[in-house]
Amino acid sequence: MHETDMTKALIITVKDWYRSQIPQPKINKIHLIVGQFTCVEPLSLKFAFEVQTRNTFLEGVELAIQDIPLIAFCHTCQQEYKPNIGLQYSCPDCKSPMDDIRSGRELKIDRIEYSTLEEQVVKQT
Amino acid sequence: MHQTFDAALEINLLHANQTGADHNRKHFDRWGITCLNIMSSPGAGKTVLLEQTLKVLKDKFKIAVIEGDMTTELDADRLRKYDVPVIPINTGRSCHLDSKMVAGGIHTLEHQYNPHDFDLVLVENVGNLVCPAEFEVGEHAKVALLSVTEGEDKPLKYPVMFQEADCLLITKTDLAPYLDIDLDCIADNVRQMNPNITIIYLSAKTGAGLSQWFDWIEKILQQNPVKHLSTQV
Ligand SMILES: Nc1nc2c(ncn2[C@@H]2O[C@H](COP(=O)(O)OP(=O)(O)OP(=O)(O)O)[C@@H](O)[C@H]2O)c(=O)[nH]1
Ligand SMILES: [Mg+2]
Ligand SMILES: [Zn+2]
């Protein structure tokens, strides 16, 4: 499914970053931001990531996914509201259509937690 | 002491696909081509719609089709009868086209034909209501199909495609009398999240609504200023 492709994109992006680092660090955790108004299901993404990173430099790396709710702005009522995904998207007060999405479309790598090799050496000794 | 570092990336996961899509669009623009991305769940009627469209518009405009059939060339073969270039993309097990796959199709168009001759490229995406909406391929407009047999609630349950579409074709309307379906309700559900969308009721079987669809295509071709620009340069 599409989570496989999203995971591929994720791995490629992280690999690019990894290769640009000197010395190459040890990646501990990747933080993602995933909006609720996207096609990505966080649990499927985690699963796909675990499967696709087996036996790679990313094996065992934790994927932390921050869920961002769908928030729209109603210009008639001049207020934000939270559409009820799957049921109703128009403004609950005045029924104006959803035409201004303020959040929920995000699909991005926020940050990467890593430690450098020297530190691992320090830790080991 | 164990110290970790943070690298702020803030990179969009679809960044690479988006860059590829923009690149494809630049190619289309340079050649004066308008590209439509046609999406729906499996079997909503994309290929039949393309057949009807080619039949009527192929003498008026120079058209090519990029066909994203999952694994077979069945759909492509149906369309070749109309004597237009049909470029099949084998998407393998992917459930949507992405900009890289379509770039392959564009490459074929460029090398086997004269791309400057074309006005319109119709891309039939893989039948899937969920994923294609997230992957732009370089289109100038998105067309979504929803057949009356799928139910009024589909736009609410799978909103992203309907929210992004420029035109919605509610297809197989000839079947509506046999079903318990409220056509206006489909339209209302879509307008809840996409008030400016063009909605056309269509039956490829009776031909109802086809002329409105052709009018919409012509309007898009006129609106897209690329032809105009490229003749100025
Ligand atoms: N009654 C009726 N049947 C239709 C209509 N449009 C399409 N069909 C039928 O629906 C079935 C699927 O049509 P296709 O055009 O192959 O659908 P598609 O969206 O291209 O399917 P995939 O490419 O497999 O996703 C075929 O059996 C068509 O004959 C219509 O307007 N009315
Ligand atoms: Mg088809
Ligand atoms: Zn309101």
Side-chain angles (χ1 to χ4, degrees):
Chain A
M1 284 302 280
H2 51 290
E3 275 84 7
T4 318
D5 292 288
M6 295 292 177
T7 310
K8 250 184 243 161
L10 168 63
I11 293 173
I12 290 169
T13 310
V14 173
K15 200 187 266 173
D16 282 348
W17 174 83
Y18 178 74
R19 291 209 178 121
S20 73
Q21 300 297 303
I22 305 166
Q24 285 179 344
K26 180 184 178 323
I27 296 177
N28 302 320
K29 196 168 178 177
I30 301 171
H31 291 264
L32 294 188
I33 291 183
V34 175
Q36 283 173 354
F37 200 71
T38 65
C39 301
V40 171
E41 172 42 46
L43 280 179
S44 313
L45 191 66
K46 276 194 171 177
F47 178 72
F49 182 78
E50 197 189 308
V51 172
Q52 286 182 49
T53 53
R54 268 179 210 156
N55 302 316
T56 74
F57 73 107
L58 288 173
E59 169 149 21
V61 170
E62 190 187 338
L63 199 59
I65 299 181
Q66 191 190 348
D67 228 6
I68 304 288
L70 171 60
I71 292 174
F73 185 80
C74 176
H75 287 270
T76 309
C77 303
Q78 285 294 309
Q79 65 181 14
E80 288 187 345
Y81 67 98
K82 246 174 143 171
N84 197 344
I85 295 178
L87 292 172
Q88 194 189 324
Y89 298 86
S90 51
C91 170
D93 292 333
C94 73
K95 302 284 179 280
S96 294
M98 174 176 81
D99 65 354
D100 189 357
I101 294 178
R102 292 285 163 96
S103 80
R105 291 293 282 136
E106 301 81 357
L107 212 47
K108 64 179 186 187
I109 307 174
D110 184 30
R111 58 197 174 88
I112 294 177
E113 280 181 39
Y114 65 97
S115 38
T116 56
L117 280 173
E118 283 108 308
E119 245 157 34
Q120 289 165 326
V121 174
V122 169
K123 226 180 85 189
Q124 275 161 15
T125 48
Chain B
M1 198 174 87
H2 182 67
Q3 194 190 353
T4 57
F5 300 86
D6 254 329
L9 291 191
E10 301 193 30
I11 295 175
N12 192 308
L13 265 186
L14 292 167
H15 181 76
N17 186 68
Q18 194 58 48
T19 308
D22 292 341
H23 183 86
N24 290 350
R25 197 157 27 235
K26 250 186 223 141
H27 274 285
F28 287 134
D29 288 349
R30 180 145 41 86
W31 298 324
I33 291 174
T34 299
C35 174
L36 302 181
N37 185 0
I38 300 175
M39 302 178 277
S40 78
S41 53
K46 298 181 293 299
T47 308
V48 171
L49 175 76
L50 288 178
E51 289 179 291
Q52 304 274 15
T53 306
L54 295 179
K55 204 188 286 174
V56 175
L57 292 188
K58 75 170 170 125
D59 296 324
K60 196 159 183 185
F61 304 110
K62 186 92 169 114
I63 307 176
V65 174
I66 292 180
E67 178 56 60
D69 191 294
M70 291 271 280
T71 42
T72 71
E73 285 224 3
L74 284 177
D75 281 0
D77 285 341
R78 273 162 65 187
L79 297 170
R80 287 209 177 89
K81 299 194 186 98
Y82 297 92
D83 234 5
V84 303
V86 178
I87 301 163
I89 310 281
N90 195 325
T91 53
R93 268 167 304 171
S94 184
C95 52
H96 58 264
L97 288 173
D98 63 30
S99 59
K100 205 168 164 190
M101 296 175 197
V102 171
I106 292 174
H107 187 83
T108 307
L109 186 71
E110 182 173 9
H111 294 277
Q112 294 184 10
Y113 305 90
N114 182 1
H116 290 276
D117 290 347
F118 290 85
D119 306 303
L120 181 64
V121 167
L122 300 169
V123 177
E124 177 174 346
N125 217 306
V126 181
N128 179 341
L129 211 47
V130 182
C131 323
E134 295 281 16
F135 293 84
E136 240 180 63
V137 299
E139 68 271 25
H140 296 93
K142 294 181 172 67
V143 178
L145 279 68
L146 182 73
S147 68
V148 298
T149 54
E150 292 174 75
E152 297 97 339
D153 57 341
K154 290 306 165 297
L156 299 179
K157 285 186 179 159
Y158 304 98
V160 178
M161 181 180 295
F162 299 100
Q163 201 265 329
E164 297 246 319
D166 300 284
C167 179
L168 169 71
L169 304 175
I170 299 178
T171 61
K172 310 194 190 178
T173 51
D174 56 288
L175 298 177
Y178 307 101
L179 304 162
D180 222 2
I181 187 147
D182 180 352
L183 294 186
D184 291 335
C185 180
I186 302 181
D188 287 347
N189 284 345
V190 172
R191 288 218 172 89
Q192 266 193 42
M193 63 190 81
N194 190 346
N196 301 318
I197 192 169
T198 301
I199 298 183
I200 299 171
Y201 296 93
L202 196 110
S203 165
K205 186 151 185 179
T206 66
L210 278 174
S211 64
Q212 278 167 274
W213 161 241
F214 299 145
D215 288 347
W216 184 83
I217 292 184
E218 291 205 28
K219 195 187 82 193
I220 289 289
L221 282 168
Q222 278 161 14
Q223 272 175 4
N224 195 5
V226 289
K227 203 94 205 173
H228 185 68
L229 284 179
S230 60
T231 49
Q232 278 184 343
V233 177

Tab-separated table of all heavy atoms in Angstrom, chain B residues 147-198:
chain	number	residue	atom	x	y	z
B	147	SER	N	-18.482	6.527	-9.166
B	147	SER	CA	-19.660	5.938	-9.797
B	147	SER	C	-20.794	5.865	-8.785
B	147	SER	O	-20.558	5.766	-7.577
B	147	SER	CB	-19.334	4.551	-10.348
B	147	SER	OG	-19.079	3.665	-9.289
B	148	VAL	N	-22.016	5.917	-9.288
B	148	VAL	CA	-23.173	5.954	-8.393
B	148	VAL	C	-23.273	4.672	-7.555
B	148	VAL	O	-23.892	4.670	-6.499
B	148	VAL	CB	-24.491	6.171	-9.170
B	148	VAL	CG1	-24.475	7.507	-9.885
B	148	VAL	CG2	-24.742	5.041	-10.154
B	149	THR	N	-22.644	3.605	-8.014
B	149	THR	CA	-22.718	2.346	-7.264
B	149	THR	C	-21.831	2.347	-6.022
B	149	THR	O	-21.919	1.446	-5.198
B	149	THR	CB	-22.288	1.160	-8.153
B	149	THR	OG1	-20.999	1.452	-8.696
B	149	THR	CG2	-23.255	0.951	-9.301
B	150	GLU	N	-21.006	3.364	-5.881
B	150	GLU	CA	-20.070	3.360	-4.743
B	150	GLU	C	-20.673	3.921	-3.453
B	150	GLU	O	-20.131	3.693	-2.379
B	150	GLU	CB	-18.794	4.147	-5.097
B	150	GLU	CG	-17.959	3.445	-6.154
B	150	GLU	CD	-16.788	4.289	-6.613
B	150	GLU	OE1	-15.816	4.400	-5.869
B	150	GLU	OE2	-16.849	4.842	-7.732
B	151	GLY	N	-21.746	4.674	-3.572
B	151	GLY	CA	-22.382	5.190	-2.359
B	151	GLY	C	-22.061	6.648	-2.084
B	151	GLY	O	-20.987	7.133	-2.416
B	152	GLU	N	-23.019	7.320	-1.438
B	152	GLU	CA	-22.895	8.765	-1.177
B	152	GLU	C	-21.765	9.093	-0.216
B	152	GLU	O	-21.236	10.201	-0.211
B	152	GLU	CB	-24.174	9.322	-0.521
B	152	GLU	CG	-25.433	9.246	-1.322
B	152	GLU	CD	-26.268	8.023	-0.952
B	152	GLU	OE1	-25.693	7.056	-0.395
B	152	GLU	OE2	-27.475	8.033	-1.228
B	153	ASP	N	-21.448	8.135	0.648
B	153	ASP	CA	-20.535	8.446	1.753
B	153	ASP	C	-19.057	8.394	1.375
B	153	ASP	O	-18.219	8.820	2.160
B	153	ASP	CB	-20.789	7.475	2.911
B	153	ASP	CG	-20.623	6.020	2.467
B	153	ASP	OD1	-20.677	5.764	1.245
B	153	ASP	OD2	-20.433	5.152	3.328
B	154	LYS	N	-18.730	7.920	0.182
B	154	LYS	CA	-17.314	7.751	-0.157
B	154	LYS	C	-16.513	9.053	-0.072
B	154	LYS	O	-15.402	9.047	0.459
B	154	LYS	CB	-17.140	7.095	-1.533
B	154	LYS	CG	-17.558	5.636	-1.566
B	154	LYS	CD	-16.870	4.797	-0.504
B	154	LYS	CE	-17.543	3.451	-0.287
B	154	LYS	NZ	-18.924	3.529	0.213
B	155	PRO	N	-17.041	10.173	-0.556
B	155	PRO	CA	-16.258	11.412	-0.433
B	155	PRO	C	-15.984	11.791	1.019
B	155	PRO	O	-14.944	12.379	1.319
B	155	PRO	CB	-17.144	12.471	-1.105
B	155	PRO	CG	-18.028	11.698	-2.018
B	155	PRO	CD	-18.277	10.385	-1.336
B	156	LEU	N	-16.904	11.435	1.913
B	156	LEU	CA	-16.671	11.760	3.327
B	156	LEU	C	-15.613	10.845	3.923
B	156	LEU	O	-14.802	11.258	4.748
B	156	LEU	CB	-17.977	11.625	4.127
B	156	LEU	CG	-19.132	12.532	3.694
B	156	LEU	CD1	-20.364	12.270	4.542
B	156	LEU	CD2	-18.723	14.000	3.796
B	157	LYS	N	-15.631	9.585	3.476
B	157	LYS	CA	-14.694	8.611	4.048
B	157	LYS	C	-13.303	8.702	3.440
B	157	LYS	O	-12.318	8.405	4.096
B	157	LYS	CB	-15.229	7.203	3.817
B	157	LYS	CG	-16.378	6.839	4.731
B	157	LYS	CD	-16.724	5.373	4.518
B	157	LYS	CE	-17.851	4.925	5.417
B	157	LYS	NZ	-18.485	3.710	4.862
B	158	TYR	N	-13.240	9.052	2.172
B	158	TYR	CA	-11.934	9.157	1.491
B	158	TYR	C	-11.814	10.561	0.914
B	158	TYR	O	-11.875	10.757	-0.300
B	158	TYR	CB	-11.822	8.110	0.383
B	158	TYR	CG	-12.049	6.705	0.893
B	158	TYR	CD1	-13.276	6.087	0.757
B	158	TYR	CD2	-11.019	6.018	1.538
B	158	TYR	CE1	-13.496	4.798	1.259
B	158	TYR	CE2	-11.225	4.747	2.036
B	158	TYR	CZ	-12.458	4.139	1.896
B	158	TYR	OH	-12.666	2.884	2.391
B	159	PRO	N	-11.681	11.549	1.786
B	159	PRO	CA	-11.888	12.938	1.343
B	159	PRO	C	-10.770	13.545	0.507
B	159	PRO	O	-11.030	14.451	-0.270
B	159	PRO	CB	-12.029	13.689	2.667
B	159	PRO	CG	-11.255	12.876	3.653
B	159	PRO	CD	-11.417	11.446	3.231
B	160	VAL	N	-9.539	13.057	0.657
B	160	VAL	CA	-8.422	13.835	0.105
B	160	VAL	C	-8.549	14.019	-1.408
B	160	VAL	O	-8.402	15.119	-1.932
B	160	VAL	CB	-7.060	13.208	0.488
B	160	VAL	CG1	-5.929	13.984	-0.133
B	160	VAL	CG2	-6.907	13.189	2.002
B	161	MET	N	-8.871	12.930	-2.108
B	161	MET	CA	-8.984	13.038	-3.563
B	161	MET	C	-10.084	14.020	-3.976
B	161	MET	O	-9.909	14.815	-4.887
B	161	MET	CB	-9.268	11.664	-4.168
B	161	MET	CG	-9.372	11.685	-5.668
B	161	MET	SD	-9.705	10.052	-6.329
B	161	MET	CE	-8.220	9.190	-5.878
B	162	PHE	N	-11.195	13.979	-3.268
B	162	PHE	CA	-12.322	14.845	-3.637
B	162	PHE	C	-12.063	16.293	-3.257
B	162	PHE	O	-12.577	17.213	-3.865
B	162	PHE	CB	-13.606	14.317	-2.999
B	162	PHE	CG	-13.930	12.921	-3.470
B	162	PHE	CD1	-13.624	11.812	-2.697
B	162	PHE	CD2	-14.483	12.720	-4.727
B	162	PHE	CE1	-13.881	10.533	-3.154
B	162	PHE	CE2	-14.744	11.441	-5.188
B	162	PHE	CZ	-14.439	10.342	-4.402
B	163	GLN	N	-11.238	16.454	-2.234
B	163	GLN	CA	-10.911	17.813	-1.812
B	163	GLN	C	-9.934	18.449	-2.801
B	163	GLN	O	-9.943	19.650	-3.020
B	163	GLN	CB	-10.303	17.746	-0.402
B	163	GLN	CG	-10.372	19.056	0.365
B	163	GLN	CD	-9.102	19.854	0.222
B	163	GLN	OE1	-8.017	19.277	0.080
B	163	GLN	NE2	-9.224	21.164	0.238
B	164	GLU	N	-9.106	17.623	-3.422
B	164	GLU	CA	-8.088	18.150	-4.332
B	164	GLU	C	-8.575	18.294	-5.770
B	164	GLU	O	-7.966	19.001	-6.559
B	164	GLU	CB	-6.891	17.196	-4.339
B	164	GLU	CG	-6.217	17.075	-2.986
B	164	GLU	CD	-4.822	17.651	-3.015
B	164	GLU	OE1	-4.142	17.413	-4.008
B	164	GLU	OE2	-4.460	18.353	-2.057
B	165	ALA	N	-9.641	17.583	-6.120
B	165	ALA	CA	-10.048	17.518	-7.527
B	165	ALA	C	-10.582	18.860	-8.028
B	165	ALA	O	-11.186	19.630	-7.287
B	165	ALA	CB	-11.092	16.432	-7.713
B	166	ASP	N	-10.338	19.141	-9.303
B	166	ASP	CA	-10.903	20.324	-9.944
B	166	ASP	C	-12.246	19.998	-10.576
B	166	ASP	O	-13.082	20.873	-10.761
B	166	ASP	CB	-9.946	20.835	-11.019
B	166	ASP	CG	-8.599	21.209	-10.420
B	166	ASP	OD1	-8.534	22.270	-9.784
B	166	ASP	OD2	-7.643	20.431	-10.552
B	167	CYS	N	-12.412	18.736	-10.951
B	167	CYS	CA	-13.655	18.327	-11.603
B	167	CYS	C	-14.039	16.949	-11.074
B	167	CYS	O	-13.182	16.068	-10.964
B	167	CYS	CB	-13.425	18.272	-13.120
B	167	CYS	SG	-14.864	17.741	-14.064
B	168	LEU	N	-15.300	16.792	-10.731
B	168	LEU	CA	-15.795	15.482	-10.303
B	168	LEU	C	-16.814	14.997	-11.320
B	168	LEU	O	-17.753	15.710	-11.665
B	168	LEU	CB	-16.474	15.573	-8.936
B	168	LEU	CG	-17.257	14.307	-8.514
B	168	LEU	CD1	-16.300	13.163	-8.189
B	168	LEU	CD2	-18.171	14.586	-7.335
B	169	LEU	N	-16.597	13.778	-11.802
B	169	LEU	CA	-17.570	13.169	-12.688
B	169	LEU	C	-18.304	12.102	-11.897
B	169	LEU	O	-17.687	11.153	-11.404
B	169	LEU	CB	-16.864	12.542	-13.894
B	169	LEU	CG	-15.982	13.499	-14.698
B	169	LEU	CD1	-15.225	12.752	-15.792
B	169	LEU	CD2	-16.820	14.612	-15.310
B	170	ILE	N	-19.582	12.271	-11.721
B	170	ILE	CA	-20.391	11.241	-11.069
B	170	ILE	C	-20.866	10.321	-12.185
B	170	ILE	O	-21.675	10.716	-13.029
B	170	ILE	CB	-21.556	11.871	-10.282
B	170	ILE	CG1	-20.976	12.778	-9.193
B	170	ILE	CG2	-22.446	10.786	-9.679
B	170	ILE	CD1	-22.012	13.520	-8.364
B	171	THR	N	-20.295	9.115	-12.220
B	171	THR	CA	-20.449	8.263	-13.402
B	171	THR	C	-21.515	7.178	-13.213
B	171	THR	O	-21.973	6.934	-12.107
B	171	THR	CB	-19.118	7.568	-13.751
B	171	THR	OG1	-18.734	6.746	-12.646
B	171	THR	CG2	-18.019	8.575	-14.032
B	172	LYS	N	-21.854	6.566	-14.330
B	172	LYS	CA	-22.837	5.469	-14.378
B	172	LYS	C	-24.217	5.916	-13.899
B	172	LYS	O	-24.930	5.150	-13.252
B	172	LYS	CB	-22.351	4.257	-13.563
B	172	LYS	CG	-20.923	3.816	-13.900
B	172	LYS	CD	-20.597	2.450	-13.356
B	172	LYS	CE	-19.108	2.146	-13.487
B	172	LYS	NZ	-18.718	0.857	-12.945
B	173	THR	N	-24.580	7.141	-14.208
B	173	THR	CA	-25.872	7.648	-13.733
B	173	THR	C	-27.039	6.854	-14.314
B	173	THR	O	-28.130	6.864	-13.748
B	173	THR	CB	-26.054	9.141	-14.084
B	173	THR	OG1	-25.768	9.298	-15.482
B	173	THR	CG2	-25.112	10.018	-13.287
B	174	ASP	N	-26.797	6.136	-15.426
B	174	ASP	CA	-27.874	5.298	-15.972
B	174	ASP	C	-28.284	4.202	-14.988
B	174	ASP	O	-29.382	3.671	-15.058
B	174	ASP	CB	-27.421	4.676	-17.304
B	174	ASP	CG	-26.135	3.875	-17.173
B	174	ASP	OD1	-25.057	4.479	-17.009
B	174	ASP	OD2	-26.198	2.649	-17.216
B	175	LEU	N	-27.401	3.890	-14.030
B	175	LEU	CA	-27.715	2.834	-13.060
B	175	LEU	C	-28.466	3.360	-11.833
B	175	LEU	O	-28.991	2.567	-11.042
B	175	LEU	CB	-26.429	2.138	-12.598
B	175	LEU	CG	-25.619	1.414	-13.671
B	175	LEU	CD1	-24.340	0.837	-13.081
B	175	LEU	CD2	-26.453	0.305	-14.315
B	176	ALA	N	-28.505	4.675	-11.688
B	176	ALA	CA	-29.089	5.254	-10.468
B	176	ALA	C	-30.519	4.788	-10.179
B	176	ALA	O	-30.850	4.516	-9.026
B	176	ALA	CB	-29.010	6.773	-10.528
B	177	PRO	N	-31.375	4.660	-11.208
B	177	PRO	CA	-32.744	4.217	-10.918
B	177	PRO	C	-32.828	2.849	-10.236
B	177	PRO	O	-33.811	2.555	-9.562
B	177	PRO	CB	-33.396	4.162	-12.306
B	177	PRO	CG	-32.574	5.040	-13.167
B	177	PRO	CD	-31.193	4.991	-12.627
B	178	TYR	N	-31.799	2.046	-10.421
B	178	TYR	CA	-31.834	0.706	-9.825
B	178	TYR	C	-31.280	0.699	-8.408
B	178	TYR	O	-31.274	-0.317	-7.732
B	178	TYR	CB	-31.009	-0.276	-10.676
B	178	TYR	CG	-31.410	-0.274	-12.118
B	178	TYR	CD1	-30.668	0.412	-13.065
B	178	TYR	CD2	-32.570	-0.948	-12.529
B	178	TYR	CE1	-31.051	0.447	-14.398
B	178	TYR	CE2	-32.962	-0.926	-13.858
B	178	TYR	CZ	-32.187	-0.219	-14.790
B	178	TYR	OH	-32.578	-0.199	-16.091
B	179	LEU	N	-30.752	1.833	-7.982
B	179	LEU	CA	-30.078	1.872	-6.679
B	179	LEU	C	-30.806	2.820	-5.749
B	179	LEU	O	-31.598	3.645	-6.166
B	179	LEU	CB	-28.635	2.380	-6.843
B	179	LEU	CG	-27.748	1.630	-7.824
B	179	LEU	CD1	-26.569	2.497	-8.195
B	179	LEU	CD2	-27.282	0.316	-7.220
B	180	ASP	N	-30.467	2.664	-4.484
B	180	ASP	CA	-31.024	3.563	-3.496
B	180	ASP	C	-30.005	4.661	-3.262
B	180	ASP	O	-29.339	4.686	-2.241
B	180	ASP	CB	-31.224	2.762	-2.207
B	180	ASP	CG	-32.546	3.108	-1.572
B	180	ASP	OD1	-33.275	3.923	-2.171
B	180	ASP	OD2	-32.833	2.564	-0.501
B	181	ILE	N	-29.835	5.540	-4.230
B	181	ILE	CA	-28.780	6.533	-4.056
B	181	ILE	C	-29.303	7.925	-4.365
B	181	ILE	O	-30.121	8.116	-5.263
B	181	ILE	CB	-27.539	6.207	-4.921
B	181	ILE	CG1	-26.389	7.152	-4.595
B	181	ILE	CG2	-27.873	6.274	-6.406
B	181	ILE	CD1	-25.054	6.529	-4.715
B	182	ASP	N	-28.826	8.862	-3.583
B	182	ASP	CA	-29.256	10.242	-3.731
B	182	ASP	C	-28.107	11.011	-4.392
B	182	ASP	O	-27.093	11.301	-3.762
B	182	ASP	CB	-29.561	10.796	-2.332
B	182	ASP	CG	-30.026	12.240	-2.383
B	182	ASP	OD1	-29.964	12.858	-3.471
B	182	ASP	OD2	-30.447	12.747	-1.329
B	183	LEU	N	-28.269	11.301	-5.681
B	183	LEU	CA	-27.173	11.930	-6.432
B	183	LEU	C	-26.813	13.306	-5.873
B	183	LEU	O	-25.640	13.670	-5.831
B	183	LEU	CB	-27.543	12.055	-7.913
B	183	LEU	CG	-27.717	10.749	-8.699
B	183	LEU	CD1	-27.936	11.052	-10.170
B	183	LEU	CD2	-26.527	9.833	-8.513
B	184	ASP	N	-27.829	14.045	-5.436
B	184	ASP	CA	-27.543	15.377	-4.894
B	184	ASP	C	-26.718	15.278	-3.620
B	184	ASP	O	-25.910	16.148	-3.315
B	184	ASP	CB	-28.847	16.127	-4.592
B	184	ASP	CG	-29.569	16.482	-5.879
B	184	ASP	OD1	-28.892	16.590	-6.922
B	184	ASP	OD2	-30.799	16.634	-5.846
B	185	CYS	N	-26.957	14.201	-2.897
B	185	CYS	CA	-26.216	14.002	-1.647
B	185	CYS	C	-24.725	13.792	-1.923
B	185	CYS	O	-23.881	14.305	-1.195
B	185	CYS	CB	-26.809	12.820	-0.891
B	185	CYS	SG	-25.991	12.477	0.658
B	186	ILE	N	-24.404	13.076	-3.011
B	186	ILE	CA	-22.988	12.917	-3.379
B	186	ILE	C	-22.384	14.298	-3.609
B	186	ILE	O	-21.321	14.637	-3.084
B	186	ILE	CB	-22.815	12.088	-4.672
B	186	ILE	CG1	-23.457	10.705	-4.527
B	186	ILE	CG2	-21.334	11.959	-5.040
B	186	ILE	CD1	-23.281	9.831	-5.769
B	187	ALA	N	-23.080	15.092	-4.414
B	187	ALA	CA	-22.574	16.424	-4.750
B	187	ALA	C	-22.431	17.284	-3.493
B	187	ALA	O	-21.409	17.959	-3.309
B	187	ALA	CB	-23.497	17.088	-5.761
B	188	ASP	N	-23.438	17.228	-2.612
B	188	ASP	CA	-23.370	18.029	-1.385
B	188	ASP	C	-22.179	17.610	-0.528
B	188	ASP	O	-21.478	18.454	0.029
B	188	ASP	CB	-24.654	17.848	-0.557
B	188	ASP	CG	-25.828	18.563	-1.203
B	188	ASP	OD1	-25.582	19.377	-2.117
B	188	ASP	OD2	-26.975	18.300	-0.807
B	189	ASN	N	-21.975	16.306	-0.423
B	189	ASN	CA	-20.859	15.817	0.398
B	189	ASN	C	-19.522	16.308	-0.131
B	189	ASN	O	-18.626	16.651	0.634
B	189	ASN	CB	-20.876	14.281	0.456
B	189	ASN	CG	-21.953	13.760	1.392
B	189	ASN	OD1	-22.499	14.518	2.201
B	189	ASN	ND2	-22.277	12.488	1.282
B	190	VAL	N	-19.387	16.339	-1.449
B	190	VAL	CA	-18.125	16.801	-2.028
B	190	VAL	C	-17.979	18.312	-1.855
B	190	VAL	O	-16.904	18.818	-1.519
B	190	VAL	CB	-18.014	16.405	-3.512
B	190	VAL	CG1	-16.812	17.053	-4.160
B	190	VAL	CG2	-17.927	14.888	-3.637
B	191	ARG	N	-19.086	19.034	-2.041
B	191	ARG	CA	-19.007	20.508	-1.922
B	191	ARG	C	-18.719	20.958	-0.494
B	191	ARG	O	-18.210	22.057	-0.280
B	191	ARG	CB	-20.316	21.130	-2.427
B	191	ARG	CG	-20.444	21.025	-3.941
B	191	ARG	CD	-21.075	22.264	-4.567
B	191	ARG	NE	-20.991	22.194	-6.020
B	191	ARG	CZ	-21.920	21.632	-6.779
B	191	ARG	NH1	-23.006	21.103	-6.243
B	191	ARG	NH2	-21.767	21.611	-8.094
B	192	GLN	N	-19.029	20.109	0.475
B	192	GLN	CA	-18.678	20.412	1.873
B	192	GLN	C	-17.191	20.679	2.035
B	192	GLN	O	-16.773	21.405	2.927
B	192	GLN	CB	-18.969	19.181	2.739
B	192	GLN	CG	-20.287	19.145	3.394
B	192	GLN	CD	-20.296	18.045	4.453
B	192	GLN	OE1	-19.346	17.864	5.201
B	192	GLN	NE2	-21.381	17.314	4.489
B	193	MET	N	-16.390	19.997	1.236
B	193	MET	CA	-14.936	20.137	1.404
B	193	MET	C	-14.278	20.780	0.191
B	193	MET	O	-13.084	21.031	0.197
B	193	MET	CB	-14.317	18.755	1.647
B	193	MET	CG	-14.494	17.831	0.471
B	193	MET	SD	-14.032	16.147	0.823
B	193	MET	CE	-15.470	15.514	1.643
B	194	ASN	N	-15.066	21.026	-0.847
B	194	ASN	CA	-14.492	21.568	-2.072
B	194	ASN	C	-15.570	22.381	-2.806
B	194	ASN	O	-16.129	21.934	-3.799
B	194	ASN	CB	-13.983	20.412	-2.933
B	194	ASN	CG	-13.154	20.880	-4.113
B	194	ASN	OD1	-13.161	22.078	-4.446
B	194	ASN	ND2	-12.459	19.966	-4.754
B	195	PRO	N	-15.856	23.576	-2.283
B	195	PRO	CA	-16.999	24.336	-2.800
B	195	PRO	C	-16.859	24.772	-4.259
B	195	PRO	O	-17.864	25.015	-4.924
B	195	PRO	CB	-17.076	25.545	-1.867
B	195	PRO	CG	-15.760	25.614	-1.169
B	195	PRO	CD	-15.206	24.227	-1.142
B	196	ASN	N	-15.643	24.850	-4.771
B	196	ASN	CA	-15.474	25.382	-6.124
B	196	ASN	C	-15.358	24.316	-7.204
B	196	ASN	O	-15.107	24.620	-8.365
B	196	ASN	CB	-14.236	26.275	-6.168
B	196	ASN	CG	-14.348	27.420	-5.185
B	196	ASN	OD1	-15.420	28.027	-5.066
B	196	ASN	ND2	-13.291	27.693	-4.442
B	197	ILE	N	-15.538	23.064	-6.833
B	197	ILE	CA	-15.353	21.982	-7.789
B	197	ILE	C	-16.466	21.992	-8.847
B	197	ILE	O	-17.607	22.371	-8.568
B	197	ILE	CB	-15.317	20.624	-7.045
B	197	ILE	CG1	-14.840	19.508	-7.961
B	197	ILE	CG2	-16.681	20.300	-6.437
B	197	ILE	CD1	-14.530	18.215	-7.208
B	198	THR	N	-16.095	21.622	-10.075
B	198	THR	CA	-17.094	21.432	-11.126
B	198	THR	C	-17.620	20.008	-11.017
B	198	THR	O	-16.835	19.062	-10.967
B	198	THR	CB	-16.444	21.605	-12.521
B	198	THR	OG1	-15.889	22.917	-12.601
B	198	THR	CG2	-17.469	21.404	-13.634
